[in-house]
Amino acid sequence: MSRSEQITKLLKNLSTTTPDIEAAAIVDNDGLMMASALPADVEDDRVAAMSAALLGMSDRIARELKRGSFSLVMIRGSQ
């Protein structure tokens, strides 16, 4: 089993055993999907690209606001 497959297995286990986690993904800084446990109707590549953009913007915002190194961004929706 490859490293990517092992990580994907861990993510799927996390999303099925933790009620508050419905999906999970690991995306590199360039927007490439490393591993994911996303719903079947979600486009992995699209989520990866948007995640990389969000990471870049979040890092710039933290620097602009002089808040130190960027640490976390969380997305929560009403559903």
Side-chain angles (χ1 to χ4, degrees), residues 10-55:
L10 288 170
L11 290 177
K12 287 182 180 178
N13 184 46
L14 180 68
S15 64
T16 57
T17 59
T18 309
D20 292 336
I21 298 176
E22 296 179 13
I26 298 176
V27 180
D28 74 4
N29 290 340
D30 295 324
L32 298 173
M33 185 69 70
M34 305 300 289
S36 70
L38 299 173
D41 62 337
V42 173
E43 293 181 41
D44 286 6
D45 292 339
R46 193 170 172 173
V47 169
M50 290 186 287
S51 297
L54 183 59
L55 173 65

Side-chain angles (χ1 to χ4, degrees), residues 1-13 35:
M1 181 181 297
S2 74
R3 188 174 197 174
S4 177
E5 291 170 332
Q6 290 174 337
I7 295 170
T8 297
K9 185 177 177 181
L10 288 170
L11 290 177
K12 287 182 180 178
N13 184 46

Side-chain angles (χ1 to χ4, degrees), residues 54-55 58-60 62 67-73:
L54 183 59
L55 173 65
S58 299
D59 186 51
R60 288 193 301 263
R67 295 294 180 211
S69 298
F70 167 73
S71 175
L72 169 78
V73 64

